[in-house]
Amino acid sequence: MNFDVRSANLEAVNSLTKYPSIPTYHQLGERGRLTEVVGEFSGPVIGTEKIDGSNARIVSLPDGSWLLGSREELLCAKGDLIGNPAQGIVAALREFADGLAPVADCVRVHYVELFGGKITAGSKQYTGHQAVGYRMFDMVVIEDYEELLGRPVAELAAWREAGNQPFLPEEELLAAAARDGLDVTPRLFTVDAAELPRDLEKTSAFLAEHLPRTRSALDEAGGGKPEGIVLRTPTRSMIAKARFEDYDRTLRRKR
């Protein structure tokens, strides 16, 4: 089919390009407490900073158009005079989207974390002057979009949450960011999976050792407290998040 955003099923496009849920490194149990069950990694594991902001996406479509969205909904299309002002995503990303090279025969999605300003309660950790920034943390390039967009939306959601979106591996992700002039979320370390801690207290100490202060500060007046670390394999076949708050809360209750 010849894709045309004006006649496309935007509900399907939205579902196809949403960012999936990411599990916690230690499995969540009752009342938000972490259990002793950990995600099983193998081989090299990359640690990146998890920024406390708003998940946003720039969706480039094969007809040369683009869409901007939050994690849950689409907010603006190329050529719109007015966009949904939610979380400041359109204001922050419209100019960047306009400057991107168009795609052909695929759907490409830049996933970025928009942070600072008054976006979240944690914004003050990155800025004391309400500065706003964004960093890319993932990208998909979907070549079989025609077949996928013909599926029911519920089926697309299940496909997405089962981990079927074709995310770029690390080297390609970094190359795409450099090509498009984007900063990525800070890369903190690469370790062998056998070096990852498995109990709660050691993981809490591991986080503090590798990220004592945010590396994503927008100015020197921010508080500097980081949110956490994302663990991922180079191919992104396995990914998990570890937040300081989850470990602090769990260990406090455990004691």
Side-chain angles (χ1 to χ4, degrees):
M1 66 178 177
N2 293 319
F3 185 90
D4 183 351
V5 69
R6 293 169 296 182
S7 58
N9 181 347
L10 293 182
E11 189 178 2
V13 173
N14 185 40
S15 187
L16 178 73
T17 62
K18 280 184 180 181
Y19 197 69
S21 302
I22 299 300
T24 51
Y25 176 56
H26 278 87
Q27 193 176 97
L28 279 173
E30 295 181 358
R31 299 182 180 178
R33 297 184 187 182
L34 298 171
T35 70
E36 296 288 350
V37 180
V38 297
E40 296 295 340
F41 284 82
S42 61
V45 179
I46 301 163
T48 68
E49 180 173 356
K50 185 181 188 307
I51 300 173
D52 186 352
S54 178
N55 186 314
R57 52 190 153 135
I58 305 107
V59 183
S60 299
L61 298 167
D63 63 352
S65 64
W66 51 254
L67 302 167
L68 297 178
S70 64
R71 181 164 193 164
E72 293 300 324
E73 61 181 335
L74 299 175
L75 304 174
C76 183
K78 182 178 182 179
D80 285 353
L81 296 178
I82 299 174
N84 187 325
Q87 302 167 65
I89 289 171
V90 175
L93 297 178
R94 186 197 291 266
E95 184 176 351
F96 172 74
D98 267 333
L100 279 173
V103 297
D105 299 324
C106 71
V107 171
R108 180 187 64 203
V109 189
H110 292 73
Y111 295 99
V112 304
E113 196 73 20
L114 183 70
F115 63 105
K118 296 182 178 180
I119 293 169
T120 68
S123 294
K124 62 183 180 294
Q125 303 302 331
Y126 306 100
T127 175
H129 305 298
Q130 295 186 15
V132 174
Y134 53 89
R135 285 180 177 253
M136 185 166 78
F137 58 89
D138 260 320
M139 178 186 284
V140 293
V141 177
I142 305 170
E143 296 180 345
D144 54 345
Y145 66 92
E146 294 181 82
E147 186 274 323
L148 288 165
L149 289 176
R151 298 184 187 185
V153 171
E155 185 179 325
L156 276 177
W159 170 87
R160 180 186 70 242
E161 292 301 321
N164 289 310
Q165 288 167 306
F167 284 97
L168 296 189
E170 178 74 357
E171 287 189 9
E172 293 180 30
L173 178 66
L174 297 180
R179 177 198 66 206
D180 297 331
L182 275 172
D183 290 329
V184 294
T185 48
R187 270 49 190 164
L188 307 174
F189 57 79
T190 299
V191 299
D192 188 85
E195 299 176 45
L196 292 177
R198 298 183 66 85
D199 73 41
L200 294 167
E201 291 194 2
K202 288 182 179 179
T203 303
S204 179
F206 180 87
L207 296 179
E209 175 189 354
H210 288 283
L211 190 61
R213 186 175 178 85
T214 181
R215 296 193 189 180
S216 303
L218 297 167
D219 54 54
E220 295 181 358
K225 184 179 179 182
E227 186 188 22
I229 293 176
V230 174
L231 302 168
R232 52 197 295 156
T233 58
T235 61
R236 205 192 172 284
S237 58
M238 179 66 180
I239 187 168
K241 60 189 176 185
R243 302 193 312 158
F244 284 94
E245 180 183 6
D246 292 337
Y247 288 89
D248 291 346
R249 179 177 59 250
T250 300
L251 292 172
R252 187 166 56 248
R253 292 174 178 174
K254 188 176 180 181
R255 296 186 186 111

